[in-house]
Amino acid sequence: MLGFCCGSIWFCPVLLVLMLAVCGGNVVIQRDAQFDMTYYDTVTSDNQTIYSYNHTVSRNKTEGVRVSVELLSESAPSPVLFVVRQKQAVLSFQVPLILRGLYQRKYQYTQVGRTLCQPPTKALAETQFFYVDVSTLSSAGVHYQLRVSRVDSFTLQTDKKFSFNATPSQPQFFKYVFPDGVDTVIVKVNSQKNFPCSVMSIQDIQCPVYDLDNNVAFIGMYQTMTTTAAITVQRKDFPSNSFYVVVVVKTEDEACGGPLRFYPLLPDELLDAGNRSKTLDVIVSPAINSEVYVMGMLFCLGIFLSFYLLTFLVACVESKRMNRKREGLLNADASPAETASLLGKASVSPYEYGSFADNGSTLSSEAVTDSLASTDGNYGCMDRSLESVARSRQESLSSVEEDDYDTLVDIDSDKNIVRTKKFLCVSDLSRKDKRILSKKYQIYFWNIATIAVFYALPVIQLVITYQTVVNVTGNQDICYYNFLCAHPLGALSSFNNILSNLGYVLLGLLFLLIILQRDILHKRALERNDSTALECGIPKHFGLYYAMGTALMMEGLLSACYHVCPNYTNFQFDTSFMYMIAGLCMLKLYQKRHPDINASAYSAYACLAAVIFFSVLGVVFGKGNTVFWIVFSVIHILATMLLSTQLYYMGRWRLDSGILRRMLNVIYTDCIRQCSGPMYIDRMVLLVMGNIVNWSLAAYGLIKRPNDFASYLLAIAICNLLLYFAFYIIMKLRSGERIQCLALVCILFTAVVWGFALFFFFQGLSTWQKTPAESREHNRECILLSFFDDHDIWHFLSSIAMFGSFLVLLTMDDDLDTVQRDKIYVF
């Protein structure tokens, strides 16, 4: 019987007292104990001690009870086992307490403190007994110290801060009861020390409470923390209208980004954990109510719907202004013949006199006056007869394929002659059939629409799965929210970060409506053989504009999906269409004066797909990988050189086996035999500056190797776009062209909004480049309507800035609508 009992003691600690009482004649000592008294005693394998406590439990008041034990013997061959028997719960632990870390490292603690679980009682007041049993298998006496005390501040009060200490072997937990009228609270735990790493957990009122490093993740919601942790708790998730706030200090700091000190020399070697005490404070505050949710949603809708109203008002004002100008021309003192002549010249299409909604920026007053009142035909666009225009239009429409022009006998030499002239005009690069080109550029829209469908559906499915995993497991380290301003709604953990992306969708839709109206009016003008629409201004192709508007809407949708559960694995969702937008804007700038030789949709999207491919590789393999950065930098520089060659020679070069021979020939003739400058100086200046910027970015990446590769890649795209845009504006002004008032207002407004947007973007409320605990150090409170944080304001301002940037691209060349294309220079 003795052998059976002693062999079974480790398998059933709950029966320890009964077994010792009947095995081997062990002495059982039972004593009545008092709260807040320290007992020093010795235990051996021949005796065990039972301490009996009683206390009054009230239904309306919860009083915490804490058991603190310290082993006084320096070394004991066997641990001392403590079993606390309550009415509806049992707690057992051994001293020294062994906790495991990474790589099976073992840490022992001789001081242990545990708070007893307090099961609810139905009686108004009830006296309950609980017993602390102390036993060991050590034949030598083991000295210990025992103290049971009441926790006066066991129940947390709303908006009252409470400070406490915790260690890995002395965790703490407290109770919070929802007050009447409060359905959502936010629990914040703070510390002045980054380390040791700790965990905050929210658990339901039930026994046992999981309050050790090796089991705290078993139930409830939890976060690792260094200095800050915050969890929003809703009453609907806790039927008892109360919950436990559990704080555990981890045995190691690796989960919070701290270093691992060393590996164990022996497999079972016990390590000294050192001083891992941490002082923390906890405060529970009411979260926002439903009125704030409604106010936030109305504010978001109001801001962006106001742009629809503003667009409508500007359209009405522009339409009235154009009508007044035409009435003034009709009432002017002129002969009937002159009046008829002016009316004939003034009978241009609604495209020319369209409102802001159809033209983005209508003709300025000076341009209208010049085109209608001038009799010398300032640029010659209005002097051409409609008959000749109709004839040229008919000849243009006779072609059915874009490549028909290329089948002429002398087209090869003609291309080389035309495209290699020192001074090119838009008419030189807009010779292909307009109908075929329009269909070519419409492919941009249909391709991006197809890409959006195939890309968005699995993204939505994935983020729903992410959110489900977070809700089921309670692991809030999966998602990198700003937990101090994360307002849940339904199954979503941070509704405000999703709502703030609505601007991209609404403003993208508004831009599509503007483009649609301009497109319709332009087609009507072409059907009437309007001379201005046919022969003047920048050739109107709207396919890329449709693609840009669609990309802006998709950026809003995918950014919202990313913010359902932001982390490094799905950051690509937030950046993919940013690459698309940057690439499409550069293509649109180039297409304005190079419509015949702009890239096709297939090649453009293939290049953007390669960019996204490298973005994924960089996120997965780029962190600290020297080989990856070398390969990427080489590819970046080679791509820059190839693109520079393509732009400089207007596509009139070939990448084949004879490329090296031709390069050497150019170097010999232009640099050695005779020193001659570049033929296309303006183009050369742009490409030299572009190469300097890109080579510098490649060198920076190779030297610094930034962790956020996706943002680094986006910075490359934005820098190139800004460089090309600045070059375009400078060359436009240098060529004697002007920027109309509305376009200038859009430029200034957009620049200011971009400045404020970038300020909020760089606030950095979270970062998946660090551990979740370190990321929470950057969390901040809401700053707008108690609902939106800095990143939400970035969403607001950046969507407005992108919309303004699109309007700039749309309106910046409206001053050329009455200028013949052979008078518009290419740069």
Side-chain angles (χ1 to χ4, degrees):
M1 182 67 178
L2 178 60
F4 170 79
C5 291
C6 295
S8 304
I9 191 171
W10 294 107
F11 296 99
C12 194
V14 177
L15 302 178
L16 176 65
V17 176
L18 296 177
M19 296 168 64
L20 286 176
V22 298
C23 292
N26 288 353
V27 179
V28 178
I29 303 173
Q30 181 169 342
R31 62 174 63 176
D32 294 332
Q34 303 295 323
F35 283 92
D36 299 317
M37 289 189 62
T38 304
Y39 295 93
Y40 298 90
D41 211 335
T42 302
V43 64
T44 67
S45 59
D46 297 328
N47 72 304
Q48 77 171 67
T49 304
I50 300 177
Y51 297 88
S52 176
Y53 293 86
N54 69 83
H55 66 134
T56 301
V57 178
S58 173
R59 184 175 60 189
N60 299 325
K61 180 181 179 182
T62 302
E63 188 178 59
V65 176
R66 187 166 180 83
V67 178
S68 301
V69 176
E70 181 178 359
L71 198 65
L72 301 179
S73 300
E74 294 185 1
S75 62
S78 298
V80 178
L81 186 63
F82 291 83
V83 180
V84 182
R85 293 179 288 122
Q86 299 173 262
K87 182 179 179 180
Q88 298 180 16
V90 175
L91 172 68
S92 63
F93 55 89
Q94 70 176 46
V95 182
L97 181 65
I98 306 298
L99 295 176
R100 292 183 180 271
L102 290 176
Y103 310 110
Q104 300 302 313
R105 282 181 286 198
K106 298 179 182 179
Y107 300 90
Q108 70 171 3
Y109 299 88
T110 58
Q111 294 183 0
V112 179
R114 305 291 295 276
T115 303
L116 301 185
C117 179
Q118 297 296 317
T121 179
K122 296 181 180 180
L124 184 62
E126 177 184 0
T127 300
Q128 292 186 358
F129 291 85
F130 66 91
Y131 305 92
V132 180
D133 303 345
V134 185
S135 60
T136 184
L137 290 183
S138 174
S139 57
V142 180
H143 303 286
Y144 65 89
Q145 169 187 313
L146 172 67
R147 181 182 179 87
V148 177
S149 56
R150 291 184 173 89
V151 182
D152 295 331
S153 301
F154 182 71
T155 301
L156 299 174
Q157 303 299 316
T158 304
D159 286 329
K160 290 185 178 179
K161 184 184 295 186
F162 177 72
S163 298
F164 59 94
N165 293 323
T167 68
S169 62
Q170 296 172 314
Q172 298 271 11
F173 68 85
F174 307 93
K175 183 180 180 180
Y176 180 80
V177 180
F178 281 97
D180 294 337
V182 177
D183 295 326
T184 307
V185 296
I186 179 169
V187 182
K188 305 174 188 176
V189 177
N190 299 291
S191 176
Q192 298 297 324
K193 297 168 57 178
N194 292 71
F195 299 105
C197 178
S198 52
V199 178
M200 179 181 71
S201 173
I202 303 296
Q203 300 180 20
D204 200 0
I205 304 296
Q206 61 182 15
C207 298
V209 177
Y210 297 96
D211 59 351
L212 290 177
D213 185 22
N214 55 11
N215 62 19
V216 69
F218 285 0
I219 194 172
M221 300 178 289
Y222 63 93
Q223 295 177 0
T224 56
M225 65 166 286
T226 51
T227 60
T228 302
I231 296 180
T232 300
V233 185
Q234 302 181 78
R235 183 195 292 262
K236 66 180 182 64
D237 297 328
F238 296 93
S240 63
N241 295 329
S242 57
F243 57 87
Y244 285 139
V245 180
V246 183
V247 179
V248 179
V249 176
K250 295 183 71 66
T251 57
E252 295 173 336
D253 298 328
E254 190 270 342
C256 294
L260 290 174
R261 294 187 301 169
F262 50 80
Y263 291 92
L265 301 179
L266 299 175
D268 296 325
E269 181 182 3
L270 294 177
L271 304 178
D272 182 11
N275 181 18
R276 295 190 64 80
S277 177
K278 190 169 188 176
T279 301
L280 308 102
D281 54 74
V282 58
I283 183 171
V284 184
S285 305
I288 61 174
N289 55 31
S290 58
E291 295 179 358
V292 180
Y293 277 86
V294 174
M295 184 65 67
M297 289 186 280
L298 292 178
F299 174 80
C300 187
L301 284 172
I303 284 181
F304 299 113
L305 290 181
S306 65
F307 280 86
Y308 284 78
L309 179 61
L310 180 62
T311 300
F312 177 76
L313 293 177
V314 172
C316 293
V317 171
E318 288 291 302
S319 178
K320 289 183 178 180
R321 186 170 67 88
M322 292 298 102
N323 289 334
R324 284 198 302 267
K325 285 187 177 295
R326 280 187 287 183
E327 291 174 0
L329 289 173
L330 289 173
N331 296 330
D333 293 333
S335 64
E338 291 174 342
T339 303
S341 175
L342 287 173
L343 287 176
K345 293 181 179 181
S347 60
V348 294
S349 67
Y351 164 77
E352 181 173 346
Y353 295 108
S355 64
F356 172 80
D358 69 282
N359 205 8
S361 167
T362 58
L363 299 177
S364 66
S365 59
E366 294 85 352
V368 173
T369 304
D370 290 344
S371 62
L372 297 180
S374 176
T375 58
D376 58 356
N378 200 20
Y379 294 105
C381 189
M382 297 303 175
D383 288 342
R384 298 188 61 183
S385 66
L386 292 179
E387 181 180 355
S388 62
V389 172
R391 188 185 310 113
S392 64
R393 172 66 177 164
Q394 184 177 4
E395 293 171 355
S396 176
L397 292 178
S398 64
S399 177
V400 294
E401 294 292 340
E402 180 187 351
D403 294 332
D404 281 356
Y405 181 76
D406 296 343
T407 62
L408 297 178
V409 177
D410 60 342
I411 191 61
D412 288 331
S413 60
D414 188 57
K415 274 186 179 181
N416 292 327
I417 293 172
V418 171
R419 296 183 187 177
T420 56
K421 291 194 304 184
K422 186 170 184 179
F423 298 104
L424 280 172
C425 296
V426 171
S427 58
D428 297 324
L429 296 180
S430 58
R431 305 173 68 185
K432 292 183 179 180
D433 184 87
K434 299 178 180 61
R435 183 181 61 180
I436 304 302
L437 278 182
S438 179
K439 290 182 178 180
K440 169 187 175 181
Y441 291 122
Q442 283 297 331
I443 297 176
Y444 273 96
F445 167 70
W446 292 113
N447 277 9
I448 200 170
T450 305
I451 292 170
V453 171
F454 281 92
Y455 194 93
L457 290 179
V459 165
I460 294 173
Q461 180 184 7
L462 180 62
V463 297
I464 290 175
T465 303
Y466 266 120
Q467 186 66 73
T468 303
V469 170
V470 172
N471 294 340
V472 171
T473 64
N475 182 3
Q476 299 207 355
D477 282 354
I478 297 176
C479 306
Y480 287 71
Y481 302 118
N482 174 20
F483 288 92
L484 294 178
C485 187
H487 305 300
L489 182 66
L492 300 173
S493 298
S494 185
F495 173 69
N496 54 298
N497 291 148
I498 298 172
L499 176 65
S500 58
N501 288 282
L502 184 64
Y504 298 104
V505 179
L506 292 180
L507 294 182
L509 178 61
L510 177 59
F511 185 73
L512 287 178
L513 294 176
I514 294 173
I515 296 303
L516 178 61
Q517 187 175 13
R518 294 195 76 177
D519 191 8
I520 292 173
L521 294 175
H522 179 64
K523 288 179 179 177
R524 291 176 181 174
L526 293 179
E527 291 173 358
R528 288 192 298 270
N529 292 324
D530 188 288
S531 61
T532 302
L534 289 169
E535 302 296 331
C536 296
I538 299 295
K540 302 297 187 294
H541 301 292
F542 297 97
L544 272 168
Y545 284 128
Y546 284 120
M548 289 161 56
T550 305
L552 184 57
M553 295 180 67
M554 286 304 303
E555 170 59 29
L557 175 62
L558 293 178
S559 178
C561 289
Y562 165 72
H563 284 90
V564 169
C565 182
N567 57 66
Y568 88 98
T569 59
N570 59 12
F571 184 60
Q572 180 202 357
F573 304 160
D574 196 29
T575 56
S576 293
F577 274 81
M578 290 185 183
Y579 303 139
M580 291 277 194
I581 291 172
L584 291 173
C585 288
M586 282 189 280
L587 286 169
K588 186 59 194 177
L589 266 178
Y590 190 75
Q591 183 212 49
K592 280 177 172 289
R593 306 196 184 220
H594 309 78
D596 284 0
I597 61 174
N598 200 24
S600 67
Y602 306 110
S603 58
Y605 287 128
C607 292
L608 291 173
V611 171
I612 295 175
F613 174 75
F614 276 105
S615 174
V616 174
L617 290 181
V619 170
V620 177
F621 303 109
K623 189 173 182 178
N625 191 331
T626 305
V627 175
F628 170 81
W629 281 100
I630 293 175
V631 173
F632 174 77
S633 299
V634 171
I635 294 176
H636 182 192
I637 292 173
L638 289 178
T640 302
M641 295 175 65
L642 290 175
L643 183 61
S644 300
T645 306
Q646 177 75 12
L647 295 177
Y648 185 78
Y649 289 107
M650 294 288 184
R652 307 312 301 151
W653 70 289
R654 293 188 305 275
L655 183 61
D656 53 20
S657 58
I659 184 68
L660 293 177
R661 176 178 54 81
R662 294 194 297 273
M663 289 176 59
L664 293 175
N665 185 48
V666 169
I667 293 174
Y668 173 74
T669 56
D670 291 353
C671 299
I672 299 177
R673 186 174 180 181
Q674 59 179 9
C675 185
S676 58
M679 183 175 180
Y680 313 108
I681 298 177
D682 295 332
R683 232 178 288 168
M684 178 60 72
V685 170
L686 168 65
L687 296 176
V688 168
M689 292 176 61
N691 276 268
I692 292 174
V693 170
N694 281 277
W695 285 50
S696 300
L697 289 171
Y700 172 82
L702 188 60
I703 296 171
K704 296 294 185 180
R705 295 196 288 272
N707 292 332
D708 190 355
F709 182 80
S711 297
Y712 167 76
L713 203 58
L714 184 61
I716 293 176
I718 293 176
C719 287
N720 282 276
L721 174 60
L722 292 177
L723 177 64
Y724 189 26
F725 181 77
F727 173 81
Y728 191 96
I729 293 292
I730 293 172
M731 292 303 299
K732 180 178 176 65
L733 298 176
R734 187 167 173 266
S735 301
E737 301 171 10
R738 54 192 175 85
I739 300 175
Q740 291 189 344
C741 180
L742 190 54
L744 184 60
V745 170
C746 288
I747 292 174
L748 296 177
F749 172 77
T750 302
V752 172
V753 175
W754 269 125
F756 283 104
L758 291 175
F759 169 79
F760 286 101
F761 175 76
F762 287 114
Q763 295 304 303
L765 302 183
S766 62
T767 172
W768 46 261
Q769 301 174 54
K770 300 179 180 180
T771 63
E774 291 175 308
S775 173
R776 276 185 278 274
E777 296 176 13
H778 304 279
N779 289 178
R780 295 184 186 175
E781 301 281 352
C782 304
I783 62 172
L784 179 62
L785 301 177
S786 300
F787 191 76
F788 299 110
D789 60 17
D790 298 74
H791 198 74
D792 294 323
I793 297 178
W794 150 254
H795 287 160
F796 292 148
L797 295 179
S798 63
S799 60
I800 295 171
M802 285 186 184
F803 176 70
S805 301
F806 289 2
L807 290 183
V808 170
L809 288 176
L810 185 64
T811 62
M812 63 190 303
D813 285 320
D814 284 348
D815 60 304
L816 303 176
D817 282 345
T818 57
V819 181
Q820 274 196 328
R821 289 170 188 164
D822 58 359
K823 301 294 193 300
I824 303 175
Y825 292 108
V826 172
F827 40 79

